[in-house]
Amino acid sequence: MVYGWPLESGAMSTFTIDSSTSRATPSPVPGKRTTAPAIRGRKVDGKTEQPIVMLTAYTMRMAQLLDPHCDMLLVGDSLGQVIYGLPSTIPVTMEMMCAHGAAVVRGSWHALVAVDMPFGSYEASPEQAFHCASRIMKETGCAAVKLEGGEAMAPTIEFLTHRGIPVIGHVGLTPQAVNVLGGYGARGREDQEAKKILADAKAVDQAGAFSIVVEGVLEGIANDITKAVSAPVIGIGASSKCDGQVLVTDDMLGLFERTPRFVKRYDDLASRIGDAAKAYAEEVRDRGFPTADQTYRPKS
Ligand code: KIV
C-alpha cells in the first residue's frame, strides 16, 4: 500500500443519485461555488477591499448554518481536539479528515471548502502530498487543501498547485509542530523568528498558495506579511492587519470555557446547552415531558 491507496477503500462519496433521472448528480456543481482563483483575486495591488470570512466546520449541519455567511469553510484538523477530544492535532488521521470533509461539502453550496492535510500525510515528499491531497479531493469533493509549513514546504506547494490542487499555506504558529515549538504561544517575539516567519510566508506565496493562514503572530509581523505577499492573508490571532479572518467556530460560539486570548465569543452556547439539558432532565424526572403535544394517538 502506498500513501493510503487504493482510493476506493472506505471512500465516502459526495455524489448522490437523482432518483427521478437515475443520473449521478455531482454536488456541488464544479465551478458554481467560490473558487480558489476567486479568493486569490480578492487581493488586488496588495489590497483586499472586503475582508475574507472563513470559519471552521466539521459537520453537515454546521456547514449549512455557516455557509451563507462565509467565503471559505475550513475542515480544520482542530477537529482532533474539538470533536474527538484528542490532546493535539498530531493523532488526526486521513480517514477523519475525509469523513468530515465530505460531510461539510454535502452541507454547503456557496463557500469554498478547504480540508486540512493531517500530520504525516504530506511532509515526507511532494509525491506523498499529492497522493494524500488527491485522495482528500476525490473522497470529499473539496476545492482545496491546507498544509502547515513555510520554506520547507514550498516545493510541495508548487508540486501540488502545478498538478491541479489549490493549496492554502499556514505559517507562524503551526500546531502540528507543537513538539518542536514547545507550546501554543504567540510566535515571532524574537527578531530572528519574526524574520523567519516572514520568509516562510514569502516562500509559500511564491510557491503558488492561493491564500495563506497566518496564526498566532505579533501584529507587526502580520502587517509585514500582508504587505509582502500577493496572496490574501487569513489571520487567526494575527490582528486586524490581515486580508481576512478565521476562527474555530466552536470557540467563537462559546462552546468551550477556556479559549485563546485572540478569540471573541459571539455566543455562550455552552451555558445555553447546559440550561436546555437541565430543563429536559427536570421535565423527564417530574413527568412534564412528553405531553399530549408530543404523543401519537389514534387518528379520529
Ligand atoms: O485546524 C484548524 O482549525 C486551523 C485553523 C485554526 C486555522 O488550522
Side-chain angles (χ1 to χ4, degrees):
M1 176 149 119
V2 187
Y3 308 131
W5 292 79
L7 292 175
E8 287 71 26
S9 69
M12 300 251 311
S13 174
T14 308
F15 302 98
T16 51
I17 300 288
D18 178 336
S19 54
S20 59
T21 62
S22 298
R23 291 206 182 105
T25 309
S27 167
V29 180
K32 293 270 182 205
R33 282 184 189 253
T34 307
T35 62
I39 295 293
R40 174 68 188 77
R42 294 270 293 269
K43 189 166 180 176
V44 181
D45 297 332
K47 291 224 162 16
T48 303
E49 192 74 33
Q50 190 182 55
I52 294 165
V53 180
M54 191 188 212
L55 280 170
T56 62
Y58 316 117
T59 62
M60 180 281 299
R61 183 62 183 140
M62 192 57 86
Q64 284 180 332
L65 296 172
L66 302 177
D67 183 77
H69 310 286
C70 293
D71 300 302
M72 293 197 277
L73 293 175
L74 173 66
V75 187
D77 61 352
S78 51
L79 63 73
Q81 290 110 313
V82 174
I83 301 283
Y84 290 93
L86 295 168
S88 73
T89 54
I90 307 288
V92 170
T93 63
M94 282 286 289
E95 286 66 31
M96 290 176 188
M97 297 314 300
C98 287
H100 289 273
V104 169
V105 169
R106 285 194 291 268
S108 58
W109 57 96
H110 146 78
L112 179 151
V113 176
V115 175
D116 258 344
M117 299 197 68
F119 180 66
S121 71
Y122 62 94
E123 301 90 333
S125 67
E127 288 78 8
Q128 181 207 23
F130 182 79
H131 284 300
C132 291
S134 59
R135 176 180 166 193
I136 288 172
M137 293 189 80
K138 281 171 186 267
E139 293 190 18
T140 68
C142 73
V145 297
K146 177 167 81 59
L147 58 85
E148 297 183 8
E151 290 173 304
M153 283 301 124
T156 295
I157 293 172
E158 192 169 340
F159 191 89
L160 296 183
T161 52
H162 285 175
R163 285 161 181 77
I165 300 184
V167 179
I168 301 178
H170 184 156
V171 302
L173 171 59
T174 45
Q176 292 176 8
V178 62
N179 290 304
V180 173
L181 300 175
Y184 294 105
R187 312 306 307 174
R189 293 192 186 278
E190 310 289 326
D191 222 34
Q192 210 183 344
E193 194 183 46
K195 284 192 184 123
K196 170 69 178 140
I197 296 170
L198 179 59
D200 281 340
K202 285 181 180 170
V204 163
D205 187 45
Q206 276 156 23
F210 74 91
S211 67
I212 305 171
V213 167
V214 176
E215 178 167 357
V217 300
L218 305 195
E219 185 175 37
I221 301 173
N223 194 31
D224 290 348
I225 292 176
T226 305
K227 283 188 178 147
V229 301
S230 52
V233 170
I234 314 295
I236 172 163
S239 83
S240 62
K241 304 291 183 197
C242 306
D243 300 296
Q245 298 290 329
V246 57
L247 280 178
V248 170
T249 298
D250 303 60
D251 284 344
M252 73 94 179
L253 290 178
L255 272 161
F256 292 102
E257 279 71 32
R258 287 187 57 228
T259 47
R261 160 150 184 247
F262 59 76
V263 172
K264 178 172 174 186
R265 290 174 188 220
Y266 288 83
D267 207 323
D268 182 16
L269 280 197
S271 38
R272 294 216 279 147
I273 290 171
D275 289 350
K278 183 165 176 271
Y280 165 75
E282 283 169 4
E283 289 194 0
V284 169
R285 289 187 182 117
D286 65 17
R287 299 193 187 277
F289 172 83
T291 65
D293 283 351
Q294 294 96 30
T295 302
Y296 292 113
R297 298 262 159 77
K299 287 194 176 114
S300 49

